[in-house]
C-alpha cells in the first residue's frame, strides 16, 4: 500500500444536484455509502473533497432517497463551482483534520487578546472555506460587540486585505466614498463619482448589489450602463474618464468579507470591529488612498444615535490611519428615505434628475451628494478647506458632472434611460395631519415585495417626507410592479402592516 | 380580503426529498417560485411553514434543477417528521418574524448578565426550532467559557428542565449516575444499576447511543437486551426490578440539550455552564433525587487536569443544590481505556465477565463500578459513610448483582449473549519496552472505523495498559470487523496514524 494513497480511500462520481446552499459547500452522500457507514454520520460532519489540485471542505447531508445512485456524491452549486466539476467527474473524499484556528476563537471566548497571526489563521480558514456556517457564526459572535480592541481590529483589517486581490494604480491619489448603509434611496455614488472625476480625481468605485435592500448601487447603475466589468475593463474606464461605477464582486477584494457578511446579517449582530475591517479592507484592497464615509444616523437605520456614530467614527479613523488610508467620516441625517424613488430604475431617475439640474430634482439627494463630494475634494487636496461644497456645486450646475456621467456610462458600455414599470398603484392617506415618522425598513420591504431589484423598474415613489402636511386622500407613495400578482402581493403586506408612515 | 388570510400567501405541495440535514429543518424551493422571486433569496433566509396546527421554521435552499416540480416545496427528513407531511400534502409558507430572544444573546456579548426570563425565551426558541444552526452557534459561543455565572447556569438548567417532559416516581429516593464522558470502555452503568437495584434502590437509568464514540451505553446494553422502551415499559421494568438501562431519546427529557449538543461538538467548545445544565436538567427531568457523577481526568479525555475537574465539581454541586438534586462528584483516572473490549458486543462481554465474577474479568472496570456503586449507596443513605464499597462488593461477589442484571434484561424483553464478529486481526508491537501512553481518541477511532457501533460485534480488544512490559511481536490489540472491506479500511488508518500507543 502506497503511503500517498493512504487517504485516497473513497473515489466517488460527482453529481450536480442543482441545490443552492449559498457560500457553504454541501456534499450529499447516500446513507448506505462506504464513507457514512465507516465514519458514522457525526453531528454536522465535514469532509474534504478533492478533484485534481482543487480541494474544498463540505458539510455532509445524508440522502435516504433515490436522488443519488450508488457510488455518486451529490454537490451543491457552490461546491460544483469551487471544484470545477461536471456530472460524472471522479472526486476523492477524505477525513478533515481538526481546525487549529478554532483555538483562537476559544481563547477569545475566555477573554484573551488574539495576536495578528491568530487572526490571520482564522481569516485564511474562512477564505479557504474550512469553516462551516456554525464555525463562522462562532467566530463572529466571539469577536462581536466590544470584544475586539483597536489592535485586533487593525489585525483583522490587515488579514482581510491579505486574503484577496489588491489593485494598484499609477496615480498617487485615489479616492473613494462609502456609506454605512441602511438608508433607502441614499444613492449619491453616481453623482459624487461624476462630480469628483469631472474635477480630475481618480475614483474607481466598485459597489455591491442589493442583498436585503430594494436596490444596491450596482443595481441602480446597471439600469443606465453595464456594471459587470472585468478588472481590465475597469482600468480602461478609469484611464479614460477617471471614474467608474462598477459591480465589485468580480474583483475578489477582501473575499473573507463576502463570506462573513451573510452570517452577520442572519445574526443581526452589531459589530463595530467587523464592520470597520470589512469596509476598510475592501477600500485598501481596491487601491484607495482617501476615503469619505457617509454615516447616516436615525431610528430605523444601522446607527441609531450620535454617540454610537461618534464612537464608530473615532475607531474607524484609528484603524484607517494604521492601514494607510486618509479618512473622513461625515455623520448625516438618516431619519427618512432620500430622494423620491426606491428601486433601481426609480432611483436612477432621481440621479439623472439631479445631474440634469432639473427643477423638481430631489433636493435632499442633491444636497447630500454635494456635501460628500465637497468633503472628498477637500480631503484629497482638490479644494481648500471649506470650499469643497462650492466647487462641487459649480461642476454640477454647469452640466459638467452630467457630461462626465454620460461619458462614464459610454466607457462602461453605453448609456440607456431608466423605464417605468407596467403596473402602478397609489397608496392614499386615510387621515389628515403632519408626517411624524417613516419606518425605513418597512418602506424598503414594500419596494422589495413590489419586485425590486430583480425587476429593475419595480419599487416605490415616496411622497411623504417628515413634516409634510397631508390631507386625507393625498398620495403617500406609489407602488410600481411588473406583474399584477406582485402588486396584489405587495398590497396584502401594506394592508396588514402598521406604522409604515405615522401621521399625527 | 380576510385579515386572517393575509399571511396565507403561499400554498405549496410538500415533497419529501429524503435528505437528512439533522436537526435543522431545510425547505427546498425552486428558484422560479413565487416566494423566492417576491422575497429575494436573502442570506440564510428562514421561513415559517405550516400544515394545519403544526408549524416549523426552516432554512431555505434554492433548487435550480428539476428535483422539484412547479408548485412543490421540498422538505428535509426532520421537517417532514416535524410537520407530519407526506408527498402532496398542502403546506403554507410565510414570513418569519424577527427573533426577539436574539436580543439576549447580543446583551450577553456586551457582557451583561441575562435573567431567568431572558434565558427561558432563548431555550423556548431553541426547542421550537426557531433558531437555525447559525443562531444556535452564536448562542453557544456567547454563553461559553466563563461567560455564565452560577445564577445564569441555574437559570439555564431550569429552562432546560421546563423545555420537555418530566417524569415522576412514587418512590422518595430515585438514584442515577452519570459520566462526564470521553473515556473508551468506561461502561460501568449496567454493573452499577444491577448492584444498587439488587440492594433495593430505584435507578431508572436512561442512556444515550454513541455519537462520536464506538459505543454508547444504550448500544452496549442493546447487545444483551432491548433498550428502545416506551415510558410505560420503563415504569413497568422499574416497578418489577427497581432498575433498568434504557435508551433515553424517546422520553423527550430536556430536548433543548439534544439540539445544542450537536453544535457544541462541531465547535469543539468547552463550556462548563452548558455541560452542567445539560447533565443536570436531564436528571431532574427524569425524576432523580440523588446523583453520582464520574469525572475521569486524563490527557486525552474531556477533563485534562485535576484543577479543571475540581472547578467543574464545585460549580456542579452548587447548581445541583439549586435544582434540588443531591449530588456527589467522583474524580477518577482517565489516562487509558477501561476494560478490554471497545465496541458494543466486546464491551458487553467485559460487563458480563465482571457480573459473573470470572477470574479474568477486567479489574479496572470492576473497581470503578464498585467505587461508584458504593458512593451512590452512601449518598442515598443505603450504606454508612465509608461502607458503600464493601456493601457493593458483597452483592457483586455473591452473584446477586448478576441475577438482578439477568432479571432486568428479561423485564426489558429478554437476555441474549453478545457475539464475536466474523473477521479479526491482531496488531503486533514492532518494538519492545513499556507502555508509556495511550491515545484514547485514536483508539476510539480505530474501533469506529472497524464498524462500531453500527455493527455491534465490531471494535477492538485492547491488551496494552499503561506500564505493561511489551515484547516485540506481542499483540497490542485485536481488531474485529464484520466485513473484510472494513478491516482493510481500518488497517489503512492504523498504518498511517502515529502515536496510538507509545512504548518506550
Amino acid at each position: 500500500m502506497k503511503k500517498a494513497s493512504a487517504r485516497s480511500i473513497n473515489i466517488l462520481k460527482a453529481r450536480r444536484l442543482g441545490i443552492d446552499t449559498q457560500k457553504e459547500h454541501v456534499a450529499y452522500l447516500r446513507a448506505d455509502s462506504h464513507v457514512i457507514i465507516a465514519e458514522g454520520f457525526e453531528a454536522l460532519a465535514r469532509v474534504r473533497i478533492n478533484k485534481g489540485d482543487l480541494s474544498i471542505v463540505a458539510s455532509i447531508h445524508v440522502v435516504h432517497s433515490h436522488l443519488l445512485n450508488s457510488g455518486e456524491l451529490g454537490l451543491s452549486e457552490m461546491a460544483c463551482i469551487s471544484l470545477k466539476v461536471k456530472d460524472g467527474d471522479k472526486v476523492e473524499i477524505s477525513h478533515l483534520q481538526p481546525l487549529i484556528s478554532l483555538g483562537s476563537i476559544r481563547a477569545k471566548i475566555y477573554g484573551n487578546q488574539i495576536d495578528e497571526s491568530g487572526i490571520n489563521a482564522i481569516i485564511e480558514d474562512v477564505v479557504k472555506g474550512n469553516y462551516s456556517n456554525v464555525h463562522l457564526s462562532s467566530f463572529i459572535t466571539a469577536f462581536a460587540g466590544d470584544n475586539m480592541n483597536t489592535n485586533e481590529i487593525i489585525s483583522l483589517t490587515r488579514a482581510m486585505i491579505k486574503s484577496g486581490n489588491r489593485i494598484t494604480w499609477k496615480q498617487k491619489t485615489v479616492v473613494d466614498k462609502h456609506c454605512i448603509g441602511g438608508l433607502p434611496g441614499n444613492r449619491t455614488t453616481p453623482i459624487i463619482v461624476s462630480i469628483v472625476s469631472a474635477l480630475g480625481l481618480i475614483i474607481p468605485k466598485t459597489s455591491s448589489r442589493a442583498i436585503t435592500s430594494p436596490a444596491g448601487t450596482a443595481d441602480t447603475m446597471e439600469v443606465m450602463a453595464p456594471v459587470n466589468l472585468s478588472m481590465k475593463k475597469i482600468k480602461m474606464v478609469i484611464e479614460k474618464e477617471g471614474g467608474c461605477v462598477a459591480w465589485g464582486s468580480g474583483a475578489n477584494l477582501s473575499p473573507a468579507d463576502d463570506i462573513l457578511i451573510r452570517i452577520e446579517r442572519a445574526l443581526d449582530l452589531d459589530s463595530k470591529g467587523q464592520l470597520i475591517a470589512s469596509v476598510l479592507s475592501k477600500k485598501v484592497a481596491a487601491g484607495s488612498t482617501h476615503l469619505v464615509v457617509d454615516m447616516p444616523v436615525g431610528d430605523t437605520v444601522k446607527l441609531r444615535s450620535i454617540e454610537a456614530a461618534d464612537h464608530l467614527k473615532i475607531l474607524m479613523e484609528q484603524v484607517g490611519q494604521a492601514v494607510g488610508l486618509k479618512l473622513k467620516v461625515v455623520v448625516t441625517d438618516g431619519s427618512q428615505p432620500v430622494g423620491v424613488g426606491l428601486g433601481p430604475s426609480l432611483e436612477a431617475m432621481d440621479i439623472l434628475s439631479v445631474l440634469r439640474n432639473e427643477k423638481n430634482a430631489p433636493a435632499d439627494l442633491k444636497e447630500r451628494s454635494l456635501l460628500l463630494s465637497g468633503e472628498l475634494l477637500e480631503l484629497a487636496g482638490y479644494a481648500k478647506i471649506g470650499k469643497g461644497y462650492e466647487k462641487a456645486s459649480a461642476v454640477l450646475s454647469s452640466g459638467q458632472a452630467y457630461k462626465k456621467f454620460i461619458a462614464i456610462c459610454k466607457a462602461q458600455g453605453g448609456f440607456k434611460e431608466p423605464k417605468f414599470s407596467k403596473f402602478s398603484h397609489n397608496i392614499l392617506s386615510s387621515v389628515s395631519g403632519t408626517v411624524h415618522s417613516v419606518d425605513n425598513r418597512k418602506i424598503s420591504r414594500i419596494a422589495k415585495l413590489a419586485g425590486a431589484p430583480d425587476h429593475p423598474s419595480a419599487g416605490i415613489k415616496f411622497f411623504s417626507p417628515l413634516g409634510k402636511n397631508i390631507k386625507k386622500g393625498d398620495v403617500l407613495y406609489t407602488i410600481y410592479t411588473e406583474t399584477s400578482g406582485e402588486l396584489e402581493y405587495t398590497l396584502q403586506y401594506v394592508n396588514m402592516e402598521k406604522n409604515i408612515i405615522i401621521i399625527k
Side-chain angles (χ1 to χ4, degrees), chain A residues 154-335:
Chain A
I154 293 169
S155 294
L156 181 62
T157 309
R158 287 189 179 137
M160 286 168 82
I161 295 168
K162 265 193 272 183
S163 75
N165 293 334
R166 197 158 172 180
I167 310 174
T168 51
W169 303 95
K170 56 175 191 268
Q171 290 85 353
K172 236 178 131 182
T173 300
V174 178
V175 303
D176 208 338
K177 62 83 56 176
H178 185 85
C179 177
I180 304 292
L183 189 57
N186 193 17
R187 209 57 64 211
T188 56
T189 295
I191 303 171
I192 297 171
V193 167
S194 303
I195 291 172
V196 304
S197 61
L199 283 163
L201 269 166
I202 301 298
I203 181 164
K205 184 84 189 84
T206 60
S207 298
S208 56
R209 293 190 185 276
I211 304 178
T212 59
S213 70
T217 296
D219 300 310
T220 299
M221 185 68 184
E222 198 170 35
V223 171
M224 302 176 280
V227 294
N228 197 355
L229 311 181
S230 66
M231 193 41 64
K232 201 177 147 196
K233 179 83 180 175
I234 289 178
K235 291 218 165 191
M236 275 173 52
V237 176
I238 293 296
E239 184 104 349
K240 193 152 185 279
E241 302 297 344
C244 73
V245 184
W247 179 40
S249 234
N252 198 37
L253 303 172
S254 192
D257 186 52
D258 296 342
I259 296 168
L260 295 173
I261 207 160
R262 295 168 314 124
I263 308 284
E264 287 168 22
R265 206 166 276 134
L267 293 173
D268 196 10
L269 202 53
D270 168 38
S271 172
K272 279 185 282 290
Q274 288 166 42
L275 172 68
I276 291 170
S278 158
V279 172
L280 299 191
S281 65
K282 289 220 164 177
K283 301 305 176 189
V284 173
S288 299
T289 58
H290 295 70
L291 174 68
V292 163
V293 178
D294 180 7
M295 221 177 250
V297 175
D299 284 345
T300 50
V301 292
K302 187 175 280 212
L303 289 159
R304 305 198 184 173
S305 73
I306 294 288
E307 294 69 38
D310 280 343
H311 184 179
L312 183 60
K313 178 180 159 154
I314 291 166
L315 213 50
M316 202 167 220
E317 284 165 351
Q318 286 172 329
V319 178
Q321 192 169 21
V323 296
L325 204 55
K326 278 208 144 189
L327 188 148
K328 172 91 188 256
V329 173
V330 186
V331 176
T332 62
D333 173 27
S335 57

Side-chain angles (χ1 to χ4, degrees), chain A residues 425-436:
Chain A
H425 183 97
N426 288 330
I427 300 294
L428 309 180
S429 181
S430 57
V431 294
S432 295
T434 306
V435 177
H436 180 260

Side-chain angles (χ1 to χ4, degrees), chain A residues 408-419:
Chain A
I408 289 172
C409 287
K410 281 188 181 155
Q412 291 191 191
F415 170 79
K416 57 182 193 278
E417 283 287 341
K419 286 186 190 117

